Short mmCIF file of all heavy atoms in Angstrom, two decimals:
data_model
loop_
_atom_site.label_atom_id
_atom_site.label_comp_id
_atom_site.label_asym_id
_atom_site.label_seq_id
_atom_site.Cartn_x
_atom_site.Cartn_y
_atom_site.Cartn_z
N VAL A 609 42.39 -5.15 55.12
CA VAL A 609 42.94 -6.43 54.68
C VAL A 609 42.74 -6.62 53.17
O VAL A 609 43.43 -7.41 52.54
CB VAL A 609 42.30 -7.59 55.48
CG1 VAL A 609 42.71 -8.95 54.92
CG2 VAL A 609 42.68 -7.50 56.94
N ILE A 610 41.82 -5.85 52.60
CA ILE A 610 41.47 -6.00 51.18
C ILE A 610 42.06 -4.87 50.34
O ILE A 610 42.67 -5.13 49.29
CB ILE A 610 39.93 -6.01 51.01
CG1 ILE A 610 39.31 -7.15 51.83
CG2 ILE A 610 39.56 -6.10 49.54
CD1 ILE A 610 37.79 -7.16 51.83
N LYS A 611 41.92 -3.65 50.77
CA LYS A 611 42.26 -2.49 49.95
C LYS A 611 43.73 -2.49 49.53
O LYS A 611 44.64 -2.52 50.37
CB LYS A 611 41.94 -1.19 50.69
CG LYS A 611 42.07 0.06 49.84
CD LYS A 611 41.56 1.28 50.56
CE LYS A 611 41.67 2.54 49.71
NZ LYS A 611 40.88 2.42 48.47
N GLY A 612 43.97 -2.50 48.22
CA GLY A 612 45.32 -2.45 47.68
C GLY A 612 46.10 -3.73 47.81
O GLY A 612 47.29 -3.77 47.47
N LYS A 613 45.47 -4.82 48.26
CA LYS A 613 46.18 -6.07 48.53
C LYS A 613 45.95 -7.08 47.40
O LYS A 613 44.94 -7.05 46.69
CB LYS A 613 45.71 -6.68 49.85
CG LYS A 613 45.92 -5.79 51.07
CD LYS A 613 47.38 -5.55 51.34
CE LYS A 613 47.63 -4.97 52.72
NZ LYS A 613 47.01 -3.64 52.94
N ARG A 614 46.93 -7.99 47.29
CA ARG A 614 46.81 -9.16 46.41
C ARG A 614 46.12 -10.24 47.23
O ARG A 614 46.72 -10.77 48.18
CB ARG A 614 48.17 -9.61 45.91
CG ARG A 614 48.91 -8.51 45.13
CD ARG A 614 50.37 -8.87 44.87
NE ARG A 614 50.50 -9.99 43.96
CZ ARG A 614 50.94 -11.19 44.31
NH1 ARG A 614 51.28 -11.45 45.57
NH2 ARG A 614 51.06 -12.14 43.41
N VAL A 615 44.90 -10.58 46.87
CA VAL A 615 44.08 -11.40 47.77
C VAL A 615 43.77 -12.77 47.18
O VAL A 615 43.67 -12.95 45.97
CB VAL A 615 42.76 -10.69 48.12
CG1 VAL A 615 43.02 -9.36 48.82
CG2 VAL A 615 41.89 -10.48 46.88
N LEU A 616 43.63 -13.73 48.08
CA LEU A 616 43.05 -15.04 47.77
C LEU A 616 41.60 -15.00 48.23
O LEU A 616 41.32 -14.65 49.38
CB LEU A 616 43.79 -16.16 48.50
CG LEU A 616 43.11 -17.54 48.50
CD1 LEU A 616 43.03 -18.11 47.09
CD2 LEU A 616 43.84 -18.50 49.44
N VAL A 617 40.67 -15.34 47.33
CA VAL A 617 39.25 -15.35 47.67
C VAL A 617 38.77 -16.78 47.84
O VAL A 617 38.90 -17.61 46.92
CB VAL A 617 38.40 -14.64 46.60
CG1 VAL A 617 36.92 -14.74 46.93
CG2 VAL A 617 38.82 -13.18 46.47
N GLY A 642 38.39 -2.59 46.81
CA GLY A 642 39.61 -2.16 46.15
C GLY A 642 40.81 -3.07 46.26
O GLY A 642 41.94 -2.60 46.39
N ALA A 643 40.60 -4.39 46.15
CA ALA A 643 41.74 -5.31 46.09
C ALA A 643 42.57 -5.00 44.85
O ALA A 643 42.03 -4.71 43.77
CB ALA A 643 41.26 -6.76 46.08
N ALA A 644 43.89 -5.07 44.98
CA ALA A 644 44.76 -4.81 43.84
C ALA A 644 44.68 -5.93 42.81
O ALA A 644 44.75 -5.69 41.60
CB ALA A 644 46.21 -4.64 44.32
N GLU A 645 44.52 -7.18 43.30
CA GLU A 645 44.51 -8.33 42.41
C GLU A 645 43.90 -9.52 43.15
O GLU A 645 44.09 -9.69 44.36
CB GLU A 645 45.93 -8.68 41.97
CG GLU A 645 46.04 -9.85 41.02
CD GLU A 645 47.49 -10.20 40.68
OE1 GLU A 645 48.39 -9.48 41.15
OE2 GLU A 645 47.70 -11.20 39.98
N ILE A 646 43.13 -10.33 42.42
CA ILE A 646 42.66 -11.62 42.94
C ILE A 646 43.59 -12.69 42.38
O ILE A 646 43.68 -12.89 41.17
CB ILE A 646 41.21 -11.90 42.53
CG1 ILE A 646 40.27 -10.86 43.16
CG2 ILE A 646 40.79 -13.31 42.97
CD1 ILE A 646 38.82 -11.00 42.73
N ILE A 647 44.32 -13.34 43.28
CA ILE A 647 45.32 -14.35 42.87
C ILE A 647 44.62 -15.63 42.44
O ILE A 647 43.73 -16.14 43.13
CB ILE A 647 46.30 -14.64 44.02
CG1 ILE A 647 47.00 -13.36 44.47
CG2 ILE A 647 47.32 -15.70 43.59
CD1 ILE A 647 47.84 -12.71 43.40
N ASP A 648 45.04 -16.17 41.30
CA ASP A 648 44.51 -17.43 40.80
C ASP A 648 45.12 -18.59 41.60
O ASP A 648 46.33 -18.81 41.56
CB ASP A 648 44.86 -17.58 39.32
CG ASP A 648 44.19 -18.78 38.67
OD1 ASP A 648 43.74 -19.68 39.39
OD2 ASP A 648 44.11 -18.81 37.42
N TYR A 652 48.35 -23.69 42.50
CA TYR A 652 48.87 -23.97 43.83
C TYR A 652 48.03 -25.01 44.59
O TYR A 652 48.33 -25.34 45.72
CB TYR A 652 48.92 -22.68 44.66
CG TYR A 652 49.66 -21.57 43.96
CD1 TYR A 652 48.97 -20.54 43.31
CD2 TYR A 652 51.05 -21.56 43.91
CE1 TYR A 652 49.66 -19.53 42.65
CE2 TYR A 652 51.75 -20.55 43.25
CZ TYR A 652 51.03 -19.55 42.62
OH TYR A 652 51.72 -18.54 41.97
N VAL A 691 49.37 -20.42 48.26
CA VAL A 691 49.04 -19.29 47.38
C VAL A 691 49.82 -18.04 47.81
O VAL A 691 49.74 -17.61 48.96
CB VAL A 691 47.52 -19.00 47.41
CG1 VAL A 691 47.21 -17.76 46.57
CG2 VAL A 691 46.74 -20.20 46.89
N PRO A 692 50.58 -17.43 46.89
CA PRO A 692 51.38 -16.24 47.22
C PRO A 692 50.52 -14.96 47.21
O PRO A 692 50.47 -14.23 46.22
CB PRO A 692 52.43 -16.21 46.11
CG PRO A 692 51.74 -16.84 44.93
CD PRO A 692 50.81 -17.88 45.50
N CYS A 693 49.85 -14.72 48.31
CA CYS A 693 48.96 -13.57 48.40
C CYS A 693 49.30 -12.75 49.64
O CYS A 693 49.98 -13.22 50.55
CB CYS A 693 47.50 -14.02 48.45
SG CYS A 693 47.12 -15.06 49.87
N ASP A 694 48.79 -11.52 49.68
CA ASP A 694 48.99 -10.68 50.86
C ASP A 694 47.98 -11.01 51.96
O ASP A 694 48.30 -10.92 53.15
CB ASP A 694 48.83 -9.19 50.49
CG ASP A 694 49.83 -8.75 49.44
OD1 ASP A 694 50.99 -9.17 49.52
OD2 ASP A 694 49.44 -7.98 48.54
N SER A 695 46.77 -11.38 51.53
CA SER A 695 45.72 -11.62 52.51
C SER A 695 44.65 -12.52 51.92
O SER A 695 44.65 -12.82 50.71
CB SER A 695 45.11 -10.29 52.97
OG SER A 695 44.61 -9.56 51.86
N VAL A 696 43.72 -12.94 52.78
CA VAL A 696 42.70 -13.90 52.40
C VAL A 696 41.32 -13.32 52.71
O VAL A 696 41.09 -12.80 53.81
CB VAL A 696 42.88 -15.24 53.15
CG1 VAL A 696 41.75 -16.22 52.79
CG2 VAL A 696 44.24 -15.84 52.84
N ILE A 697 40.41 -13.41 51.73
CA ILE A 697 39.02 -13.01 51.94
C ILE A 697 38.19 -14.28 52.09
O ILE A 697 38.18 -15.13 51.18
CB ILE A 697 38.49 -12.17 50.78
CG1 ILE A 697 39.31 -10.90 50.61
CG2 ILE A 697 37.02 -11.82 50.99
CD1 ILE A 697 38.91 -10.07 49.40
N LYS A 712 47.88 -16.13 57.09
CA LYS A 712 47.93 -14.82 56.44
C LYS A 712 46.83 -13.91 57.01
O LYS A 712 45.82 -14.39 57.53
CB LYS A 712 47.74 -15.00 54.93
CG LYS A 712 48.80 -15.88 54.25
CD LYS A 712 48.48 -16.01 52.77
CE LYS A 712 49.57 -16.78 52.03
NZ LYS A 712 49.55 -18.23 52.32
N PRO A 713 47.01 -12.59 56.92
CA PRO A 713 45.93 -11.68 57.32
C PRO A 713 44.65 -12.05 56.58
O PRO A 713 44.67 -12.35 55.38
CB PRO A 713 46.44 -10.31 56.91
CG PRO A 713 47.92 -10.45 56.87
CD PRO A 713 48.20 -11.85 56.43
#
Side-chain angles (χ1 to χ4, degrees):
V609 172
I610 302 174
K611 189 172 181 61
K613 301 296 194 298
R614 301 169 67 249
V615 300
L616 167 66
V617 176
E645 181 183 357
I646 296 176
I647 302 298
D648 188 341
Y652 307 101
V691 176
C693 61
D694 300 320
S695 57
V696 177
I697 300 175
K712 300 178 175 74

